[in-house]
Amino acid sequence: MSDPVILSSGHTFDRSSIQRWLNAGHRNCPITKLPLSEFPSLIPNHALRSLISNYTLVSLPKPQSHPALQTLIATLTSPSSQLESKLNSLDQLTRLSKRDSVLRRRLTEAGAVSAVLSCADSDEPVLREKSLNLLLNLSLDDDNKVGLVAEGAIGRVVAALRGGSPECRAVAATALTSLAVLEVNKATIGAYPNAIRALVSLLRVGNAREAKEAATAIFAICSFPGNRRRAVECGAVPVLLGSAGSGLERAVEVLGLLSTCKEGREEMVKFSDCVPILVQVLRNGCSRGVQYALLTLNSLCSWSRDLCLEVLEFGVFELCVKLLEDDNEKVRRNASSLIQVLRGKR
């Protein structure tokens, strides 16, 4: 953040980021969702700006010499640029922006976002793939996440999920995970047509990397409660169960989230392999997988007496007693909670 301003909602944003949000036609605060006036005032946050100035004087390293960023960006947007030139510019910008947050901010302020998104629209697979890698880098900074969404990044990413190369689809899923770090973006992504459905499809048909990235993105998006019902409606439950049965424990984590909504529980109990798969994770999974398998079983057993009896037949009560000695505090807590539920249903 270099030029902090205060919105009427009371929240502070970097001027360039909130201006992109407003220029895109939004008239509500990205954080509170409160309505704004037609011409919102951006009030300079002088106290914060002073702190930033003092910090940068003593903390930031001297800027390194880079090729002219404006020239590289112009290459991406020029109709006369050859494909090879565009690819070379994207390679340089991606390499420079990978670990340099100051340069990422300079890129955004120089108009790189619209240039990258135009390349992401290309029918040329390599250009599309490289532009998504740069978009992923730009999304690493929270200040950029809202601006990227405001300028239409979600549509490009979802299109790549549905029609790109395997590498392209994996990077697109990772980009959605990055954008979904912000709570406001979780809701926007979840409501975007076909976003969750495209991730569920990638989880079902993708290779190992694609499936893992898709499950991670679904987990990030479904950490927003309003998206869990959407995921269930998109057919996520049977796909997640299949992935969990094949050893993808990130799928178990998503099931844990979906089990907290009524629609998720109703869908899970339709599948006879649900409990066996979760028990398999309890017996052989890693600590995080066990944690979420316990969470899922806890939600299901609290809701359904019939499923509770099935769980008891699989010896889950005895497994939970053993897990009370686990090194992971969350595993111990979830095991203790499930024991209480099972005792009450016996």
Side-chain angles (χ1 to χ4, degrees), residues 63-257:
Q64 303 173 8
S65 59
H66 298 304
L69 298 181
Q70 203 67 55
T71 302
L72 294 172
I73 294 170
T75 301
L76 300 179
T77 57
S78 173
S80 61
S81 295
Q82 298 296 313
L83 175 62
E84 194 62 36
S85 299
K86 290 186 177 183
L87 295 177
N88 182 58
S89 292
L90 284 169
D91 281 338
Q92 292 190 61
L93 291 170
T94 301
R95 185 175 63 255
L96 294 171
S97 62
K98 190 169 186 179
R99 294 185 177 86
D100 192 336
S101 61
V102 175
L103 188 135
R104 287 196 292 268
R105 188 181 69 225
R106 288 172 56 197
L107 275 175
T108 305
E109 292 171 350
V113 171
S114 60
V116 173
L117 292 179
S118 68
C119 291
D121 280 333
S122 173
D123 293 329
E124 178 59 47
V126 181
L127 186 63
R128 199 181 201 187
E129 182 180 313
K130 289 183 181 292
S131 64
L132 282 171
N133 276 297
L134 179 52
L135 187 150
L136 174 59
N137 283 1
L138 295 176
S139 75
L140 296 175
D141 297 323
D142 285 356
D143 280 347
N144 286 342
K145 296 181 195 296
V146 172
L148 283 165
V149 170
E151 293 197 35
I154 296 176
R156 272 67 165 211
V157 173
V158 172
L161 281 174
R162 295 166 66 87
S165 65
E167 172 67 20
C168 198
R169 292 194 297 265
V171 173
T174 308
L176 282 184
T177 301
S178 178
L179 292 171
V181 167
L182 290 189
E183 202 70 16
V184 64
N185 284 355
K186 290 181 174 70
T188 305
I189 294 168
Y192 193 90
N194 295 316
I196 294 177
R197 192 174 299 278
L199 288 168
V200 171
S201 177
L202 185 61
L203 177 60
R204 183 179 67 251
V205 303
N207 60 32
R209 182 190 172 198
E210 291 173 287
K212 183 177 180 180
E213 297 298 345
T216 302
I218 296 171
F219 181 86
I221 294 166
C222 288
S223 63
F224 178 72
N227 287 332
R228 294 168 193 173
R229 175 181 53 80
R230 291 189 177 109
V232 174
E233 291 172 351
C234 289
V237 168
V239 178
L240 289 164
L241 285 171
S243 297
S246 299
L248 182 61
E249 292 194 344
R250 183 53 58 90
V252 184
E253 297 173 24
V254 184
L255 288 169
L257 294 181

